[in-house]
Structure formats: structure tokens, C-alpha cells
Amino acid sequence: MPPVPSTMVFAEPRVFDSVEEERLDRKQRLAVALRAFARYGFDMGVAGHITARDPEYPDRFWVNPFGLHFGAMRASDLILVDHQGKVVEGQGILNTAAFRIHSEVHAARPDVVAAAHAHSLYGSAWSAMGRPIQPLTNEGCMFFEDHVLHDDHTGVTLEDLKAKAIAQDLGSHRAVVLRNHGVVTVGQTVDEAAWWFIAFEHSAHVQFLAESAGRARPAEPEDARVVRDTMGTPRAAWFSFQPLFQQIVTEQPDVLD
């Protein structure tokens, strides 16, 4: 019997032979992530957006068109925009607020392939608390010392300076909490950015429940760091999203169209 590995073992994201294959896969994963957001109830009206940097043109990103429901999104529905806000491929309206925030994040973070934001219930509620998430669970530990608070009220982010300030506060972290607005998460893959958003929403929900029941007891810092450095890596986040990806593709195959 082979020895049990002493570390977590995760599958690897696919490596592509051409930029065309990679682009299609990235668009399909973006469409699946948007449907995942619909499944979790992150679909508040027309608010919310996930972007994915184009693999060939790093100054362009794919994004969901404004006003199309997350649950109806297909890969072919996505639009490609440049950093000047021009739609260069696809049909649909560009959400100006999405463009402002995401263009600045993508410009400031060359390592970021995808960024996610939605007006989810618990993330939005947590954005009014003015304090970081505590490491109460494994999911909460993933954000220990790796998320920040943006304390200026952003409202509808239509100004360049507001968007630049968000990107600046995000820095090298995986998530930024926008005061009275919600959460933005980023990742090296669409899957990672989407999973961090789902995990943050879960962590906020857990903390509200725990604190409503009494005094919550967070993990010790050294223990939180061990969890973060094991299950909170980009590869672990990508892998954690795969069961949801598989489920949505199986149940809603048109998402890949």
C-alpha cells in the first residue's frame, strides 16, 4: 500500500496548445461562474459582474453584458472590452461601474486573470460592519491576513479615482470589502476568483450566525495560517470550484455554447 501523502494533493488546471482553446475555456468557465452565482442567489437585479482577462490581449477582458441574468449566461453571450471601455467583440451593454472597477484591478494586478463582484446578501451585510472576517472556520481562515477593507463609500463606482482607490487598497490581497457595497475577489483563474467570492459569502454568513449565538472563538493565528497556506492557495481554490463546475455543466450544458 503506497504511503499517504503528507500534504494536500490537487488536480492541475489544463494547459492549452493554443490561445484559441484557452480563450474558449476561459469564456466557458466565466459563464459557468456566473450561473454558479445565480445558483447561490447572488443575482440582485442588474448588479454584479465577473471579468476574465483575455489570454492573447492582456489589456482586454471578457465580462457579462449588463442586464442579462446570470442564470441565462452562455459563453457566447459574453462581451470583450478594452481598457478604454470599448466593446471590441460581442453584443450587449457594458456596465460602466463594472468597467471602472475591473479595469483598474486588472491594470494594477498583472497576476489577476479574473475578478468577481456581486451584491450578495451576507457579503453586502458584512460590508457595513467595518471590520475583517475572523478565522472562525476553514473558509474564514483562507482570508486571514489576506483581505482588506476599503473604507471610502463607493456607491455606484463611475469615477476613475474611486476605482483606482479600490485597486490600490486591494493591493496583493485576494479580496477587498467595499464599505456599504459588498466584496470584490480576484484570482489567477476564473474558478479561483469565483470560489473566493463563494467562500467569503459563506464565512460572513457563519460569522453572523456564530456572533448571534454568543461569543465566537476564532482560530489561533498560527493555526489559521496553516489552513490558509494549505486550502487557501490558488490551485486549491481552483480545485474547490470543480465539483460546482461539473454539476452546472452536467445540468445546464447550454452554458458552454
Side-chain angles (χ1 to χ4, degrees):
M1 180 177 179
V4 176
S6 59
T7 59
M8 298 293 290
V9 178
F10 305 107
E12 296 276 357
R14 179 182 169 189
V15 177
F16 297 91
D17 295 326
S18 70
V19 70
E20 291 79 14
E21 287 182 323
E22 186 172 8
R23 177 180 293 117
L24 177 59
D25 180 79
R26 195 168 290 184
K27 291 173 64 180
Q28 289 174 335
R29 290 182 177 276
L30 178 52
V32 170
L34 288 159
R35 292 211 187 183
F37 275 28
R39 175 165 296 193
Y40 278 99
F42 302 162
D43 48 345
M44 173 57 69
V46 297
H49 23 84
I50 309 177
T51 55
R53 193 189 301 270
D54 187 80
E56 183 176 8
Y57 304 103
D59 61 340
R60 300 177 184 179
F61 55 83
W62 296 91
V63 64
N64 49 298
F66 198 30
L68 181 60
H69 191 268
F70 290 173
M73 202 68 60
R74 301 172 301 171
S76 57
D77 293 319
L78 300 169
I79 58 176
L80 180 66
V81 300
D82 62 20
H83 278 200
Q84 285 70 50
K86 178 183 177 183
V87 177
V88 296
E89 187 174 333
Q91 300 294 322
I93 305 171
L94 172 64
N95 182 334
T96 305
F99 165 72
R100 295 295 184 204
I101 295 174
H102 290 256
S103 63
E104 294 296 341
V105 168
H106 282 287
R109 291 280 300 275
D111 62 307
V112 164
V113 165
H117 170 66
H119 293 184
S120 58
L121 182 61
Y122 298 104
S124 296
W126 191 258
S127 72
M129 303 301 289
R131 55 193 174 99
I133 284 286
Q134 289 185 298
L136 300 184
T137 63
N138 278 3
E139 288 76 22
C141 288
M142 295 174 190
F143 296 95
F144 184 64
E145 300 175 333
D146 204 357
H147 71 292
V148 294
L149 308 179
H150 177 73
D151 202 39
D152 292 332
H153 183 259
T154 56
V156 181
T157 311
L158 301 177
E159 297 87 1
D160 287 337
L161 289 179
K162 284 188 176 182
K164 288 181 183 294
I166 292 171
Q168 183 175 7
D169 280 352
L170 172 65
S172 61
H173 299 90
R174 69 188 61 188
V176 56
V177 181
L178 311 181
R179 181 165 68 89
N180 306 114
H181 190 157
V183 180
V184 176
T185 59
V186 298
Q188 297 175 15
T189 60
V190 172
D191 310 60
E192 181 191 354
W195 183 250
W196 290 148
F197 194 94
I198 293 167
F200 193 98
E201 178 77 0
H202 175 86
S203 300
H205 190 182
V206 166
Q207 187 154 348
F208 281 128
L209 289 174
E211 291 184 349
S212 70
R215 183 175 177 272
R217 183 181 178 185
E220 295 297 329
E222 57 270 26
D223 295 328
R225 293 185 188 105
V226 169
V227 174
R228 181 198 64 201
D229 295 344
T230 303
M231 291 300 298
T233 66
R235 186 187 301 174
W238 175 89
F239 188 67
S240 295
F241 188 74
Q242 298 318 297
L244 184 55
F245 178 89
Q246 296 156 11
Q247 184 181 37
I248 290 175
V249 169
T250 299
E251 295 175 352
Q252 306 170 42
D254 65 303
V255 69
L256 303 180
D257 293 347

